[in-house]
Amino acid sequence: MTTYDEAFETSRAALQEALPRRWAHVQAVGAKALAVGPKILPDPDADALAIAAILHDIGYAPSIVDTGFHPLDGARWLQRNGADPRIVNLVANHSCACLEADERDLRAELDEFPNEKTLTTDALLYCDMTTGPDGQDFEIEERLAEIKSRYGPEHLVFRFISRAEPSLIDGVRTVQRELGHQPM
Ligand SMILES: [Fe+2]
């Protein structure tokens, strides 16, 4: 899994048949990372971003689910399967996963994987949070509303997204500024 193509194949094998909708989202997030990364990141970071993007939701694959918390399950599986530690850590911490870990009482487990908190993590968040469940382009506000309506107010993901909202919007705005978008 050291190249994008290898990571794509790994993700495809895990998700395409079992979770075709999730696979549509993941492919679009990967494609967005390939397009955005080189515009704002040095080559090694852009490469890591793209590989992490195509692998970021692999923890949803039925063959990989363990705790049911997909960033942690995905990261542990990738670690066992020899992925680069930086990729493992980016997947573990994608899109404010630490806040969902709090909701699930899995923060200590997630903290096994250090969060680099760089522009690369913001870029991964941006690619994920501006891509809808079918791979369509979304504004961050649409994406947040879509996630909330998909889970409903009683679900812990709803509580997580509500808590994470300011950080998620902040991460997206940071990347938009780097890309030269007008401030919103
Ligand atoms: Fe995810």
Side-chain angles (χ1 to χ4, degrees), residues 22 25-26 55-60 70-71 91 94-95 97 100 128-129 143:
R22 183 65 60 179
H25 165 77
V26 164
L55 292 169
H56 80 284
D57 275 349
I58 200 165
Y60 281 114
H70 76 277
V91 168
H94 79 264
S95 303
E100 186 170 342
D128 187 16
M129 297 308 295
R143 174 79 160 126

Side-chain angles (χ1 to χ4, degrees), residues 11-41:
S11 189
R12 190 195 61 71
L15 293 171
Q16 184 177 38
E17 245 177 72
L19 299 171
R21 197 177 188 214
R22 183 65 60 179
W23 175 232
H25 165 77
V26 164
Q27 283 180 90
V29 174
K32 195 171 281 189
L34 285 174
V36 163
K39 293 182 182 162
I40 60 170
L41 296 168

Side-chain angles (χ1 to χ4, degrees), residues 14-184:
L15 293 171
Q16 184 177 38
E17 245 177 72
L19 299 171
R21 197 177 188 214
R22 183 65 60 179
W23 175 232
H25 165 77
V26 164
Q27 283 180 90
V29 174
K32 195 171 281 189
L34 285 174
V36 163
K39 293 182 182 162
I40 60 170
L41 296 168
D43 286 350
D45 293 345
D47 289 348
L49 168 68
I51 292 172
I54 199 69
L55 292 169
H56 80 284
D57 275 349
I58 200 165
Y60 281 114
S63 55
I64 292 174
V65 173
D66 176 24
T67 66
F69 179 40
H70 76 277
L72 178 65
D73 294 348
R76 284 177 167 169
W77 186 88
L78 289 167
Q79 189 175 52
R80 283 199 305 278
N81 285 274
D84 181 276
R86 186 176 185 200
I87 302 299
V88 171
N89 294 336
L90 284 167
V91 168
N93 290 289
H94 79 264
S95 303
C96 298
C98 61
L99 297 178
E100 186 170 342
D102 289 341
E103 295 287 340
R104 293 178 182 270
D105 256 337
L106 288 169
R107 183 60 180 260
E109 287 82 348
L110 192 70
D111 283 348
E112 293 163 26
F113 302 98
N115 186 353
E116 64 173 58
K117 293 189 189 161
T118 59
L119 185 58
T120 307
T121 48
D122 280 339
L124 181 56
L125 180 159
Y126 169 86
C127 293
D128 187 16
M129 297 308 295
T130 63
T131 303
D134 298 300
Q136 65 276 56
D137 281 327
F138 266 178
E139 294 297 329
I140 175 69
E141 293 82 2
E142 290 176 284
R143 174 79 160 126
L144 294 169
E146 178 276 319
I147 295 170
K148 284 180 177 172
S149 73
R150 186 150 39 100
Y151 287 95
E154 304 307 319
H155 200 281
L156 72 86
V157 170
F158 186 102
R159 290 197 301 278
F160 150 64
I161 283 292
S162 303
R163 265 186 72 209
E165 210 167 287
S167 309
L168 293 170
I169 291 173
D170 216 53
V172 168
R173 296 286 178 256
T174 298
V175 173
Q176 286 175 333
R177 271 196 306 277
E178 292 288 326
L179 286 167
H181 285 216
Q182 295 299 317
M184 298 170 78

